[in-house]
Amino acid sequence: MDPRRNPFSPGAGSRPPELAGRENVLETVAIALDRIRSGRHAQSMILLGLRGVGKTVLLNAMRRAADGEGILSVPIEAPEGQSLPAMLVPALRTAMLKLDRGQAAMTLAKRGLGALARFVKAFKLSYGELEASLNLGVIGVADNGDLEADLIDLIDLAGAAAGERKTALVLFIDELQYVPERELAALITALHRARQNDRPITLVAAGLPQLAGQMGKAKSYAERLFLFTSIGPLGDDAAASAIVHPIEAEECAIEPDAVARILAVTEGYPYFLQEWGKQCWDAADACPITAADVDLAHPTAIAALDDSFFRVRFDRLTPSEKRYLRGMADLGEGPFASTAIADHIGRKPSSFGPVRASLIAKGMIYTPGYGETAFTVPMFGAFMRRAMPVADGAAGQGE
């Protein structure tokens, strides 16, 4: 069928045509933000889930909804290797400038810009546009060079500025698991202090499943400050809606058997649903889309996932990390006992400590329970078996 009318759009963070099965979490965040703006308390929300469940899509949807309600949003992505101060500075500067529009010369937003400039100087960050604001800050505010103390000042001033404008300020942070523990602890402390001071500022973030443990380790009271919400694959009804409704919107249809086959192979993961929907549309000659079209599209969908969704993660791995993941893949999709993986590869579990730590840091594996290991990427075991056949000597080799 005409690819120009294909309603499906697989891609990192791309909004699907049908955001099905996430109504409750969207409403929970909307209520929390309304409460914070009106001066009432609400927990910050942390979305936890594997790759491909649509956490980034949800964050973007929440941010757009907040913007539509006049709430000021600050979108931030936490890439590997970048410090929290370096991420916060440009985002908070943009927020402060928005809050400062049309206000008097010494609004709290202007004071916030001054504090931000001094923060940049204290941490030797490169952000020249803020130099002109140095004279607006109060000496001793966010310029001590102690991250926790200075971040408390910054977040508190940002929240106060939002309160002055009768709105709320929301930090939307994706991939929060990449923020180092010390910096994560400073952010948690700053948000806690802002809450104690009744500032209308909060955090909505997303990360891999290990993020809950990281935050609890960083600050013991994190479990009380944040609402941790697990985002998993869609149930059958929502997954079917994600396929059927976009096709119907294009005045086409898909047979029930075809939908059942898509649900079986994708296991309800939103990213995979988008990929199969796209490939099935392109494979079909005419409406309705049939089970035969799904079968025809299957190799193309697998190849598309291998070349993009899976390969981009595989190519970041060292040979040792690939061998470890290939050993996991021999056991299935997991989770697995860490000792079982080591036994299968023929090594002592202690010898894999550095490799496991590196894979966790890269967001490739996590520990769902004590002594357990699992992939953070659904169906990655099957990909590893395709990418590294046993004949290639994937498992059982030395370092």
Side-chain angles (χ1 to χ4, degrees), residues 1 3 15 27 36-37 55 95 99 145 148 154 165 171 174 207 215 225 247 250 272-273 276 289 336 385:
M1 293 189 290
R15 182 181 174 89
E27 179 65 11
I36 289 167
R37 178 169 54 178
K55 301 185 300 298
L99 290 169
E148 186 166 295
L154 266 185
R165 294 296 300 266
L171 304 177
D174 200 7
M215 296 184 76
L225 186 62
I247 292 172
E250 293 297 328
F272 299 161
L273 287 166
W276 253 267
I289 297 171
F336 323 98
R385 294 191 291 275

Side-chain angles (χ1 to χ4, degrees), residues 72 111 213 272 321 341:
L72 185 57
R111 286 184 58 195
F272 299 161
E321 291 166 350
I341 301 169

Side-chain angles (χ1 to χ4, degrees), residues 186-263:
L187 177 62
I188 294 169
T189 301
L191 290 166
H192 189 211
R193 184 67 59 84
R195 177 175 177 177
Q196 291 174 326
N197 292 340
D198 294 325
R199 304 302 191 197
I201 184 169
T202 193
L203 169 71
V204 179
L208 294 173
Q210 64 262 36
L211 178 58
Q214 291 174 246
M215 296 184 76
K217 185 178 178 183
K219 287 292 178 181
S220 59
Y221 54 78
E223 63 181 26
R224 301 190 301 276
L225 186 62
F226 301 99
L227 177 62
F228 293 97
T229 300
S230 294
I231 306 297
L234 298 175
D236 285 351
D237 289 345
S241 295
I243 291 293
V244 172
H245 292 169
I247 292 172
E248 291 180 341
E250 293 297 328
E251 300 180 346
C252 188
I254 180 169
E255 294 180 351
D257 285 351
V259 175
R261 292 199 186 191
I262 293 175
L263 267 55

Side-chain angles (χ1 to χ4, degrees), residues 299-320:
T300 307
I302 291 291
L305 287 170
D306 283 359
D307 290 343
S308 57
F309 185 78
F310 294 126
R311 178 66 62 175
V312 70
R313 293 168 172 85
F314 179 83
D315 287 344
R316 297 170 57 241
L317 303 172
T318 67
S320 296

Side-chain angles (χ1 to χ4, degrees), residues 21-343:
R22 307 303 193 195
E23 296 82 6
N24 288 344
V25 67
L26 290 170
E27 179 65 11
T28 298
V29 168
I31 291 171
L33 298 188
D34 278 342
R35 287 182 59 83
I36 289 167
R37 178 169 54 178
S38 63
R40 296 181 174 90
H41 286 302
Q43 289 174 295
S44 299
M45 176 170 281
I46 309 295
L47 308 179
L48 303 173
L50 303 179
R51 303 291 187 190
V53 296
K55 301 185 300 298
T56 301
V57 169
L58 280 173
L59 276 188
N60 290 337
M62 293 168 181
R63 178 176 55 81
R64 284 191 293 268
D67 290 341
E69 294 296 321
I71 294 171
L72 185 57
S73 64
V74 180
I76 301 170
E77 183 173 354
E80 289 181 80
Q82 188 173 9
S83 71
L84 181 64
M87 288 183 279
L88 285 177
V89 164
L92 284 178
R93 176 178 182 270
T94 299
M96 293 292 190
L97 288 172
K98 289 180 179 179
L99 290 169
D100 187 49
R101 288 175 183 170
Q103 296 295 297
M106 283 305 292
T107 62
L108 286 170
K110 272 192 167 60
R111 286 184 58 195
L113 281 167
L116 195 58
R118 293 186 179 279
F119 183 81
V120 167
K121 186 176 181 180
F123 287 92
K124 299 179 175 61
L125 301 173
S126 175
Y127 211 81
E129 296 92 331
L130 287 166
E131 292 299 320
S133 301
L134 275 169
N135 62 333
L136 296 174
V138 177
I139 294 175
V141 176
D143 62 358
N144 297 312
D146 178 274
L147 180 60
E148 186 166 295
D150 289 347
L151 203 54
I152 286 173
D153 288 342
L154 266 185
I155 296 296
D156 190 70
L157 262 175
E164 186 178 59
R165 294 296 300 266
K166 309 299 182 186
T167 187
L169 193 153
V170 188
L171 304 177
F172 286 94
I173 305 182
D174 200 7
E175 304 285 8
L176 188 60
Q177 76 277 349
Y178 287 135
V179 174
E181 182 180 327
R182 170 179 166 270
E183 297 177 359
L184 191 59
L187 177 62
I188 294 169
T189 301
L191 290 166
H192 189 211
R193 184 67 59 84
R195 177 175 177 177
Q196 291 174 326
N197 292 340
D198 294 325
R199 304 302 191 197
I201 184 169
T202 193
L203 169 71
V204 179
L208 294 173
Q210 64 262 36
L211 178 58
Q214 291 174 246
M215 296 184 76
K217 185 178 178 183
K219 287 292 178 181
S220 59
Y221 54 78
E223 63 181 26
R224 301 190 301 276
L225 186 62
F226 301 99
L227 177 62
F228 293 97
T229 300
S230 294
I231 306 297
L234 298 175
D236 285 351
D237 289 345
S241 295
I243 291 293
V244 172
H245 292 169
I247 292 172
E248 291 180 341
E250 293 297 328
E251 300 180 346
C252 188
I254 180 169
E255 294 180 351
D257 285 351
V259 175
R261 292 199 186 191
I262 293 175
L263 267 55
V265 72
T266 62
E267 300 179 13
Y269 285 100
Y271 189 97
F272 299 161
L273 287 166
Q274 291 297 300
E275 191 63 67
W276 253 267
K278 177 182 185 299
Q279 301 303 334
C280 290
W281 176 282
D282 289 344
D285 290 327
C287 292
I289 297 171
T290 66
D293 294 324
V294 177
D295 292 341
L296 182 63
H298 184 89
T300 307
I302 291 291
L305 287 170
D306 283 359
D307 290 343
S308 57
F309 185 78
F310 294 126
R311 178 66 62 175
V312 70
R313 293 168 172 85
F314 179 83
D315 287 344
R316 297 170 57 241
L317 303 172
T318 67
S320 296
E321 291 166 350
K322 290 176 181 177
R323 285 194 291 270
Y324 187 83
L325 294 184
R326 185 58 179 83
M328 288 177 61
D330 274 344
L331 301 177
E333 290 298 324
F336 323 98
S338 301
T339 53
I341 301 169
D343 288 345

